[in-house]
Amino acid sequence: MAVSAMEDREVADHYWSREWAARYPSLAGRRVLVTGGGSGIGAGIVSGFAAQGANVTFFDIAVKPSRALVKALGDQPKIRFEQLDLTHIATLQARIAALIASDGPFDVLINNAGNDDRHSIDEVTEAYWDNRFNVNLKHMFFCAQAVAPSMRARGGGTIINLGSISWHLGLPDLTLYQTCKAAIEGLTRSLARDLGRDNIRVTSVIPGNVRTPRQMQWYSPQAEAELVAAQCLSGRLLPHDVAAMVMFLASDDARLITGHSYFVDAGWR
């Protein structure tokens, strides 16, 4: 079953245009930073915040899908794409500092970027280990470190980390990815404790298997049917399903929610 990035965006646009789609007045005009926002779940998150009237900056290393997303959202001045390699921590933090200096503190940080390339235990080298941890975990801490001082000075903020159901299920050929995703939940708990008295809330969202162009490369129609059969609910998860939870947690409606992880997985067991 083939699915294109444009098809996913069209589904998301249709969703956010529905009268019953949640609107959060507190998100209008908020400054939001999303990592890995050019495609997949990240694109759903960017689209969702755009529909809320937020000012969204997103980082991504992939230029073509990121520019296509900005175009699909109408080339709004409130939507900014920045090409950035998140594994270059000094450059990453310098860019965040420059954006804060020019436009003010970010109200919301969404640590979304990651890469779930399959790998066997035998093929892992020390260099590959370091690379996977840099891609899937390290930048999350340093993004949080970069935005926290200005959030503190402003009186609060929200950090949301994207985890994964994969390590809860113990899926095969994902040892390093799952190790990072397990660590993200520990990072969330720790940051929530250390930043809570500054009114900075930190949570994590745990997606199940979300139907994106990247994920579909591993799933035949039969495999996808088996996946849905393992869920409590029959629906197929899409990026906007995850974005809906992210936006609730970012809104003032969740003002006393912090330190915990929230599953969006259709009850996958």
Side-chain angles (χ1 to χ4, degrees), residues 9 17 23 37 52 82 90 94 110 130 155 166 180 189 192 200 214 219 268:
R9 283 196 294 273
S17 68
R23 294 289 184 270
Q52 300 286 343
E82 299 260 345
I110 311 297
D130 291 341
S166 61
C180 292
R189 296 281 287 175
I200 299 172
R214 176 174 174 80
Y219 286 91
W268 193 6

Side-chain angles (χ1 to χ4, degrees), residues 38-258:
S39 61
I41 293 173
I45 292 170
V46 170
S47 298
F49 277 108
Q52 300 286 343
N55 294 287
V56 187
T57 298
F58 71 94
F59 295 158
D60 207 299
I61 198 170
V63 173
K64 186 175 179 180
S66 297
R67 288 179 175 168
L69 175 61
V70 172
K71 184 177 180 180
L73 293 174
D75 287 315
Q76 304 176 46
K78 289 185 174 182
I79 310 300
R80 175 190 292 177
F81 159 56
E82 299 260 345
Q83 183 185 11
L84 200 65
D85 185 339
L86 298 174
T87 65
H88 297 162
I89 300 301
T91 302
L92 168 64
Q93 290 201 313
R95 189 60 196 142
I96 292 174
L99 289 168
I100 292 171
S102 63
D103 299 320
F106 286 103
D107 301 291
V108 181
L109 166 66
I110 311 297
N111 275 321
N112 166 73
N115 183 290
D116 61 349
D117 280 350
R118 272 55 175 172
H119 53 271
S120 69
I121 291 175
D122 291 341
E123 68 183 326
V124 173
T125 63
E126 183 178 2
Y128 188 68
W129 169 284
D130 291 341
N131 175 266
R132 292 297 87 187
F133 272 67
N134 289 342
V135 167
N136 289 305
L137 178 62
K138 185 177 180 180
H139 59 84
M140 291 194 175
F141 172 82
F142 286 102
C143 281
Q145 185 189 61
V147 302
S150 58
M151 285 184 175
R152 184 182 297 117
R154 192 170 187 159
T158 305
I159 299 170
I160 301 172
N161 303 317
L162 270 290
S164 171
I165 196 175
S166 61
W167 77 270
H168 292 274
L169 297 175
L171 299 179
D173 300 323
L174 286 168
T175 297
L176 301 189
Y177 176 77
Q178 292 179 146
T179 301
C180 292
K181 290 300 184 179
I184 286 167
E185 293 186 41
L187 175 66
T188 296
R189 296 281 287 175
S190 299
L191 290 176
R193 171 57 68 187
D194 288 349
L195 298 176
R197 298 304 177 189
D198 297 313
N199 197 34
I200 299 172
R201 299 186 295 105
V202 189
T203 56
S204 62
V205 173
I206 314 299
N209 188 284
V210 180
R211 186 177 182 268
T212 66
R214 176 174 174 80
Q215 289 300 318
M216 292 311 297
Q217 68 181 302
W218 290 300
Y219 286 91
S220 65
Q222 179 182 352
E224 193 172 26
E226 291 172 356
L227 186 156
V228 172
Q231 299 175 171
C232 295
L233 299 173
S234 297
R236 193 70 170 91
L237 289 166
L238 294 171
H240 66 253
D241 295 307
V242 180
M245 175 63 80
V246 169
M247 289 188 299
F248 165 69
L249 291 171
S251 75
D252 288 353
D253 294 56
R255 68 184 187 88
L256 290 178
I257 294 176
T258 194

